[in-house]
């Protein structure tokens, strides 16, 4: 018997699908639409196993929905802007565009080798001017709509690269690429007003029923709604600064105001900056604060420092009570009002600060059962619930009640008000980089900020840039940034910052709907295709990308481009692909192919034969070399084998352990399926093309019953993303064919084999097409409908019924489904185990629950 030639088959069917343009989507009002997409990749050079898993999962859904009668849109593109291209330009002396498009060509070829049912006619790249000109136009419309603004903000500044770093790019206070100590710097930056939608974005999470609960929770925590109060601490006496009468704070714990021992303001708080004019020590401290990063991690781990100003604040509840005011390095202007009150007994950061500077520590929340007179705080703040004490009118209240009473008192005194606060901050989108979408703004000394006229879009990146000096090449370009102001005709300067690449990926799903339209998205296409029905991607994008996309959809609705709010109706986050890690005797990481078994069975290095230390399985990463090249796997075993293993080894939401044994097992199954069909072809020669409807013999009906149960099970499993269970059912059906087919008639065998092939099609599409052809079918399997289960054949003819005697299980019996109660009663009383349990006594009552249980009462 011949072996399955996957190399020949995969090339053949990929060419056939392309020639027939099987997967090119067109609007069809007569069909229900289904839009499935995976998070598009960054073109870093080559695909990795994470890509293989991600796109396999999405492709199974796309092929399945297509077979189920849906008009499927399944597009692909490239998240093509970003810093790695600039790094490559510096390191390899190659233009970022050249590097990017070369990588796209390589990765496109690799993805095509997987046999994905992608509509390549809709391919986009975010670095292409025909993509980012629409992004620039939307920015201008959002600017006009009040959703964009520019202001000075504290940023993480890398003094070597001379660029702003995102919080995620600051590691232990240093730039991720240069290792330079990051500074806090004030720069004029562009922002999207995402906070305008904070409450709406939070509330709408409840409606995203097909999103993972953990992702919704992560977004809710990131938005961070908290109810509390803004309070005003008046400045005391003659030391007040001109123009400043009080310090505003926001707190979620006004119940602890009686535990206050100090106020702390940010280093760039207006009050601090005013005081620094006449206080060199404070000025020096502020400069020191600017040399620290703004990330939450940095603020949490760094040493808490403060500078005692000459000002005191008056407690809002007691005009006789004065609190010292410090400038502190852990307070930022971007959070709250740039000032806090310190309650050391109930906040660990405040406690550490108070101990350092000898400030009072007064507990005002007492644990249950503790004595307020003796309870005290040592080195650990008390942060749990309890009863309020040492707090005047709040004494004896629990925390929730005390919060409400404290807010009411602040309002009665005119010293504050109830307020809702959000952790979410407006989206800073300015980046001091070349390889990004230019921000379409011109700065004019006369006119100020001037939008680039839409007729002049796109503002293209210049090609003739150099990376031989630190900083943004656009800032150094001799001509690009110098332009004429479109309003007054005078000299102007282009904005040299480019967009954060999250902007590019926040609306690409909409561009896929009409990728060649002269509008960002054509209205008819948007109404038909959007929102996305199923989005597939990593949980690492649970917050920023997905939250930004949700905001951007609302912003596009605001400017008249979309008619809905939520971009992704369904979201699935797949697990990571993991592999063992290996080190040689010197501690160097080894690739899996550099490890083999020695004569004694122990693992050794193929490089020098030294013993290999096996580490724990971790996410595949280049740094630890525990990576497997997808191209090598596809060339060795075929794309279908790689796809099958990705689906079969574990539930898709969990991490997958890549093993050579597992891949080889998947490969053996492909050959077994080939033999299963090839070996049955002669017996099928006389079989009709379709089942005739005749019930047939018992063996045939057992085979048909197994077949239709499998159809029902696989259908439900794919609908619910239980791909590994669907795979298991297909294994079981293959075993049933081995066991039952020899006794079944040819028509039943044909039905089962063809069903098996059709069920395989979303998972192993090349093998399925080849087997479909071997079974005598001329049409493409990719165009065939999904098999429908006969409901009558998914129900067993017999059922197993438990028999109890006086409530205790004594036996189980097999009966035809739907047997009459009299028949069931007679069968139960005739069972020897039941008779033994009855001990010769007569049955007083027999209770029969049809098809489930029989209870004999003696």
């Amino acid at each position: 018997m011949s072996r399955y030639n996957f190399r020949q088959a995969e090339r053949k069917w990929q060419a056939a699908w392309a020639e027939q343009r099987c997967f090119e989507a067109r609007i069809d009002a007569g069909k229900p639409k289904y839009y499935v997409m995976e998070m598009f990749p960054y073109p870093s050079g080559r695909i990795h196993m994470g890509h293989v898993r991600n796109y396999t999962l999405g492709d199974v859904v796309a092929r399945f929905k297509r077979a189920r009668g849906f008009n499927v849109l399944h597009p692909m593109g490239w998240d093509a802007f970003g810093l790695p291209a600039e790094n490559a330009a510096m390191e390899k002396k190659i233009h970022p565009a050249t590097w990017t498009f070369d990588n796209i060509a390589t990765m496109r070829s690799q993805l095509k080798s997987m046999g994905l049912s992608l509509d390549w006619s809709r391919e986009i790249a975010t670095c292409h001017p025909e993509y980012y000109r629409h992004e620039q136009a939307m920015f201008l419309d959002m600017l006009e709509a009040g959703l964009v603004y520019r202001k000075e903000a504290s940023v993480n500044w890398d003094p070597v690269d001379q660029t702003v770093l995102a919080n995620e790019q600051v590691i232990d206070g240093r730039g991720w690429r240069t290792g330079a100590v990051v500074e806090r710097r004030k720069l004029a930056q562009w922002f999207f007003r995402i906070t305008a939608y904070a409450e709406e974005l939070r509330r709408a999470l409840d409606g995203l029923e097909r999103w993972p609960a953990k992702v919704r929770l992560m977004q809710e925590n990131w938005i961070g709604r908290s109810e509390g109060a803004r309070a005003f601490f008046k400045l005391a006496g003659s030391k007040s600064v001109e123009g400043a009468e009080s310090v505003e704070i926001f707190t979620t714990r006004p119940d602890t105001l009686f535990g206050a021992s100090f106020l702390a303001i940010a280093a760039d708080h207006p009050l601090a900056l005013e005081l620094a004019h006449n206080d060199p020590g404070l000025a020096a401290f502020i400069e020191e604060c600017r040399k620290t990063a703004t990330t939450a991690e940095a603020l949490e781990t760094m040493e808490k420092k403060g500078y005692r100003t000459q000002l005191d604040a008056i407690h809002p509840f007691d005009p006789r009570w004065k609190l010292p005011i410090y400038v502190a390095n852990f307070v930022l202007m971007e959070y709250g009002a740039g000032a806090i009150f310190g309650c050391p007994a109930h906040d660990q950061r405040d406690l550490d600060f108070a101990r350092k500077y000898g400030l009072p520590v007064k507990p005002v929340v007492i644990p249950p059962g503790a004595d307020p007179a003796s309870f005290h705080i040592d080195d650990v703040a008390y942060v749990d619930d309890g009863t309020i004490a040492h707090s005047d009118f709040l004494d004896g209240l629990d925390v929730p009640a005390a919060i409400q009473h404290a807010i009411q008192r602040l309002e009665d005194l005119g010293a504050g008000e109830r307020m809702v606060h959000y952790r979410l901050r407006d989206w800073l989108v300015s980046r001091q980089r070349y390889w990004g979408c230019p921000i379409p703004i011109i700065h004019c000394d006369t006119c100020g900020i001037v939008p680039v006229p839409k007729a002049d879009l796109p503002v293209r990146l210049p090609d003739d840039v150099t990376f031989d000096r630190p900083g943004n090449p656009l800032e150094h370009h001799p001509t690009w940034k110098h332009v004429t102001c479109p309003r007054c005709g005078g000299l102007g300067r282009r904005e040299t910052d480019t967009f954060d690449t999250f902007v590019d990926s926040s609306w690409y799903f909409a561009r896929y709907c009409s990728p060649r339209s002269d509008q960002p998205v054509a209205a008819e296409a948007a109404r038909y295709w959007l929102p996305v029905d199923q989005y597939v991607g990593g949980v690492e994008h649970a917050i920023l990308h997905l939250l930004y996309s949700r905001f951007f959809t609302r912003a596009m609705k605001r400017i008249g481009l979309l008619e809905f709010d939520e971009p992704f109706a369904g979201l699935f986050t797949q697990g990571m692909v993991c592999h063992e890690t290996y080190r040689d005797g010197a501690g160097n990481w080894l690739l899996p192919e550099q490890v083999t078994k020695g004569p004694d069975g122990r693992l050794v290095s193929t490089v020098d034969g030294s013993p290999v230390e096996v580490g724990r399985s971790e996410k595949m990463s280049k740094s630890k070399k525990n990576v497997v090249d997808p191209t090598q796997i596809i060339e060795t075993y075929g794309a279908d084998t790689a796809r099958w293993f990705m689906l079969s080894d574990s539930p898709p939401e969990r991490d997958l352990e890549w093993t050579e044994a597992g891949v080889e097992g998947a490969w053996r199954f492909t050959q077994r399926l080939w033999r299963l069909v090839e070996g049955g072809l002669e017996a099928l020669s006389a079989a009709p093309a379709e089942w005739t409807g005749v019930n047939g013999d018992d063996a045939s009906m057992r085979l048909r019953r197994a077949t239709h149960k499998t159809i029902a099970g696989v259908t439900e499993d794919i609908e619910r993303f239980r791909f590994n269970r669907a795979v298991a059912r297909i294994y079981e059906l293959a075993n049933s064919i081995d066991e039952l087919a020899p006794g079944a008639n040819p028509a039943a065998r044909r039905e089962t084999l063809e069903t098996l092939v059709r069920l395989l099609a979303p998972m192993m599409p090349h093998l399925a097409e080849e087997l479909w052809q071997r079974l005598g079918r001329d049409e493409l399997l990719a165009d065939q409908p999904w098999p429908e289960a006969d409901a009558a054949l998914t129900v067993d003819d017999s059922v197993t019924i438990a028999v109890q005697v006086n409530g205790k299980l004594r036996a189980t019996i097999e009966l035809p489904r739907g047997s009459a109660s009299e028949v069931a009663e007679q069968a139960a009383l005739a069972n020897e185990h039941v008779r033994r349990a009855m001990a010769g006594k007569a049955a007083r009552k027999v209770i029969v629950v049809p098809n489930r249980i029989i209870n004999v009462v003696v």
Side-chain angles (χ1 to χ4, degrees):
M1 189 181 298
S2 65
R3 288 173 61 84
Y4 172 51
N5 186 336
F6 69 84
R7 292 185 180 88
Q8 183 181 61
E10 290 180 359
R11 287 194 299 268
K12 168 184 170 183
W13 295 114
Q14 288 166 19
W17 297 328
E19 182 181 350
Q20 295 296 317
R21 302 168 74 177
C22 286
F23 310 122
E24 291 186 14
R26 299 171 185 83
I27 292 176
D28 183 349
K31 277 188 173 184
K33 68 91 180 179
Y34 196 87
Y35 185 176
V36 56
M37 60 181 280
E38 304 86 7
M39 294 180 182
F40 64 171
Y42 180 78
S44 57
R46 299 181 67 82
I47 66 170
H48 52 68
M49 281 300 177
H51 291 131
V52 173
R53 192 180 199 196
N54 189 32
Y55 300 125
T56 295
L57 296 178
D59 196 52
V60 169
V61 175
R63 287 178 176 272
F64 171 74
K65 288 294 185 179
R66 193 167 183 270
R68 296 278 281 175
F70 288 88
N71 185 23
V72 173
L73 172 58
H74 186 205
M76 177 54 69
W78 310 95
D79 193 7
F81 273 136
L83 194 56
E86 290 196 31
N87 291 336
M90 288 184 278
E91 295 166 10
K92 301 179 180 180
K93 308 301 180 186
I94 186 173
H95 195 280
T98 303
W99 183 83
T100 299
F101 284 110
D102 284 350
N103 288 347
I104 286 175
T106 299
M107 294 175 70
R108 183 192 300 116
S109 175
Q110 290 179 299
L111 289 175
K112 286 187 173 182
S113 74
M114 289 177 59
L116 302 171
S117 60
L118 293 166
D119 183 353
W120 285 104
S121 71
R122 295 173 182 261
E123 182 181 6
I124 59 175
T126 59
C127 66
H128 196 285
E130 277 306 302
Y131 181 87
Y132 67 69
R133 79 177 176 98
H134 298 294
E135 189 166 298
Q136 292 170 341
M138 287 190 290
F139 172 84
L140 296 179
D141 289 339
M142 292 177 195
L143 177 64
E144 186 176 351
L147 293 176
V148 173
Y149 65 94
R150 191 171 187 254
K151 74 166 186 177
E152 279 199 339
S154 294
V155 296
N156 302 309
W157 181 259
D158 187 316
V160 175
D161 267 351
Q162 295 188 17
T163 187
V164 170
L165 300 180
N167 286 345
E168 295 78 12
Q169 294 170 325
V170 180
I171 302 172
D172 297 329
R174 295 178 179 270
W176 69 281
R177 201 186 75 84
T178 65
V181 176
V182 170
E183 300 174 359
R184 191 185 307 179
R185 180 173 290 194
K186 278 259 188 180
L187 288 179
Q189 306 276 281
W190 287 98
F191 291 83
F192 280 122
R193 205 180 298 275
I194 189 173
T195 54
Y197 292 94
E199 182 61 17
E200 181 180 330
L201 288 166
R202 188 189 71 86
R203 285 182 178 274
L205 289 169
D206 291 338
L208 298 177
E209 297 176 352
R210 293 201 297 115
W211 280 41
K214 64 180 179 181
V215 174
R216 286 183 285 161
L217 180 61
M218 290 166 72
Q219 287 211 4
E220 183 169 7
N221 291 339
W222 188 263
I223 295 169
R225 185 183 193 274
S226 54
E227 296 185 4
R230 60 193 298 224
F232 300 97
F233 289 73
K234 291 183 179 179
L235 297 180
S238 60
K239 294 179 181 178
S240 298
V241 176
E242 184 177 354
E245 297 180 354
S246 63
V247 175
E248 177 187 342
I249 63 98
F250 171 81
T251 177
T252 60
R253 294 296 304 273
D255 58 305
T256 64
L257 274 166
F258 282 100
S261 64
F262 66 93
L263 259 64
I265 61 177
D268 48 356
H269 192 286
L271 187 57
L273 298 177
E274 181 65 28
L275 292 171
H277 289 318
N278 300 311
D279 188 340
L282 177 56
F285 180 76
I286 291 174
E287 189 60 34
E288 180 184 345
C289 290
R290 287 172 177 162
K291 293 181 180 179
T292 60
T294 65
T295 66
E297 178 189 28
L299 296 177
E300 188 69 28
T301 58
M302 71 184 182
E303 181 186 0
K304 310 302 184 292
K305 294 181 180 181
Y307 186 91
R308 173 69 164 99
T309 72
Q310 296 304 306
L311 296 180
D312 293 322
I314 299 173
H315 196 285
F317 290 154
D318 186 347
R320 300 165 298 174
W321 185 359
K322 294 182 176 58
L323 299 169
I325 299 178
Y326 285 79
V327 177
N329 65 347
F330 57 85
V331 182
L332 297 178
M333 274 304 298
E334 283 68 33
Y335 294 89
I340 66 161
F341 83 89
C343 180
H346 306 295
D347 184 286
Q348 191 62 44
R349 177 195 59 188
D350 295 350
L351 179 61
D352 295 341
F353 188 85
R355 294 300 189 205
K356 181 171 183 175
Y357 293 103
L359 299 170
V361 179
K362 177 184 176 183
V364 292
V365 181
I366 309 303
D371 181 2
S374 59
F375 179 71
H376 67 283
I377 300 294
D378 291 321
D379 296 326
V380 179
Y382 179 72
V383 296
D384 295 326
D385 283 340
T387 303
I388 305 300
H390 310 304
S391 298
D392 194 12
F393 65 92
L394 299 177
D395 283 354
L397 298 175
D398 60 21
V399 169
I403 289 174
Q404 299 307 316
H405 278 69
I407 294 174
Q408 187 61 53
R409 181 63 63 92
L410 285 170
E411 291 181 335
D412 292 344
L413 293 171
E417 62 183 354
R418 190 179 306 275
M419 184 179 179
V420 174
H421 185 264
Y422 296 92
R423 178 176 180 269
L424 181 68
R425 290 290 167 265
D426 280 335
W427 178 10
L428 190 162
V429 296
S430 299
R431 296 294 182 269
Q432 292 69 39
R433 299 174 190 148
Y434 163 74
W435 194 237
C437 172
I439 297 176
I441 292 293
I442 293 171
H443 299 277
C444 174
D445 291 340
T446 302
C447 305
I449 292 174
V450 182
V452 173
K454 285 191 176 180
D456 294 342
L457 299 181
V459 177
R460 293 173 179 262
L461 290 170
D463 292 327
D464 55 335
V465 292
T466 60
F467 297 88
D468 54 358
R469 55 190 288 197
N472 183 357
L474 295 177
E475 192 67 42
H476 306 148
H477 196 281
T479 60
W480 181 83
K481 65 181 181 179
H482 301 294
V483 292
T484 300
C485 173
R487 282 186 185 164
C488 69
L491 295 178
R493 184 182 67 86
R494 288 194 189 281
E495 173 66 69
T496 56
D497 287 353
T498 55
F499 282 134
D500 175 10
T501 56
F502 276 117
V503 178
D504 311 330
S505 59
S506 291
W507 69 283
Y508 77 110
F509 61 90
R511 187 61 182 166
Y512 280 143
C513 297
S514 49
R516 311 297 171 244
S517 172
D518 198 43
Q519 295 296 316
V521 56
E524 181 188 10
R527 278 192 291 268
Y528 180 79
W529 290 115
L530 292 170
V532 176
D533 295 283
Q534 187 63 63
Y535 198 24
V536 182
V539 74
E540 66 271 17
H541 297 295
I543 296 175
L544 297 183
H545 163 58
L546 290 170
L547 188 61
Y548 292 156
S549 296
R550 295 180 64 216
F551 159 73
F552 223 86
T553 302
R554 287 165 168 81
M556 291 176 73
K557 181 181 180 181
R558 175 89 165 262
I559 61 176
L561 291 173
L562 298 177
E563 299 174 354
F564 58 95
D565 295 323
E566 291 296 339
F568 312 119
L571 172 70
F572 186 85
T573 54
Q574 84 278 5
M576 299 180 294
V577 182
C578 303
H579 198 290
E580 287 181 334
T581 53
Y582 307 107
R583 289 180 186 263
D584 63 16
N588 300 311
W589 298 106
L590 296 174
L591 292 165
E593 60 262 33
Q594 293 176 314
V595 177
T596 189
K597 282 187 178 181
D600 59 356
R602 297 181 181 178
L603 295 182
V604 296
S605 167
T606 59
V607 178
D608 57 12
S610 62
V612 168
E613 176 187 348
V614 180
R616 64 188 180 92
S617 179
E618 299 183 34
K619 175 187 175 182
M620 287 188 178
S621 69
K622 293 179 182 178
S623 62
K624 295 185 178 179
K625 293 190 174 182
N626 62 332
V627 294
V628 176
D629 182 4
T631 298
Q632 182 179 353
I633 295 298
I634 291 171
E635 290 176 351
T636 303
Y637 297 103
D640 283 346
T641 296
R643 292 169 61 116
W644 186 255
F645 178 73
M646 286 292 180
L647 298 167
S648 64
D649 193 63
S650 63
E653 68 275 12
R654 297 182 188 172
D655 291 349
L656 179 146
E657 177 73 18
W658 182 273
T659 64
E660 190 69 23
V663 179
E664 290 175 351
W667 162 246
R668 287 193 297 271
F669 187 64
T670 63
Q671 295 297 334
R672 180 185 169 197
L673 292 170
W674 177 261
R675 293 193 300 270
L676 199 59
V677 173
E678 280 284 291
L681 289 178
E682 184 176 347
L684 299 182
S685 59
E690 305 292 341
W691 180 256
T692 60
V694 179
N695 283 337
D697 54 82
D698 289 345
S700 297
M701 293 311 298
R702 285 196 299 272
L703 184 59
R704 296 199 69 221
R705 200 174 297 281
T707 299
H708 285 263
K709 284 183 179 180
T710 304
I711 295 172
V714 170
T715 302
E716 182 182 8
D717 287 338
I718 295 180
E719 288 280 10
R720 297 190 178 188
F721 268 76
R722 300 186 304 216
F723 300 134
N724 60 311
R725 290 182 60 173
V727 165
R729 293 184 198 274
I730 291 173
Y731 272 116
E732 291 174 7
L733 181 60
N735 291 335
S736 297
I737 295 173
D738 285 340
E739 296 167 7
L740 302 176
N745 67 48
R749 284 147 65 181
R750 171 177 285 280
E751 180 190 34
T752 296
L753 284 175
E754 290 194 351
T755 298
L756 176 67
V757 170
R758 292 164 75 186
L759 295 178
L760 281 172
M763 306 175 192
M764 291 200 278
H766 310 91
L767 175 64
E769 289 280 11
E770 192 70 15
L771 293 177
W772 186 248
Q773 187 182 64
R774 297 292 294 161
L775 286 166
R777 300 294 191 173
D778 296 329
E779 65 278 9
L780 281 173
L781 180 55
D783 292 332
Q784 300 309 299
W786 189 251
E788 295 292 335
D790 184 335
L793 294 175
T794 62
V795 180
D796 288 325
D797 285 339
S798 62
V799 291
T800 301
I801 299 177
V803 182
Q804 296 178 340
V805 177
N806 290 337
K808 292 185 178 182
L809 180 66
R810 296 302 185 184
T812 58
I813 59 176
E814 290 287 326
L815 289 177
R817 179 175 292 277
S819 295
S821 295
E822 296 80 5
V823 174
E825 179 180 328
Q826 292 173 9
L829 294 175
N831 184 275
E832 60 176 311
H833 299 292
V834 173
R835 291 201 307 271
R836 189 180 306 122
M838 294 173 66
K841 299 177 183 177
R844 293 191 294 113
K845 184 188 290 187
V846 179
I847 303 168
V848 177
V849 180
N851 300 322
R852 294 182 59 190
I853 193 169
I854 302 169
N855 190 15
V856 179
V857 181
V858 297

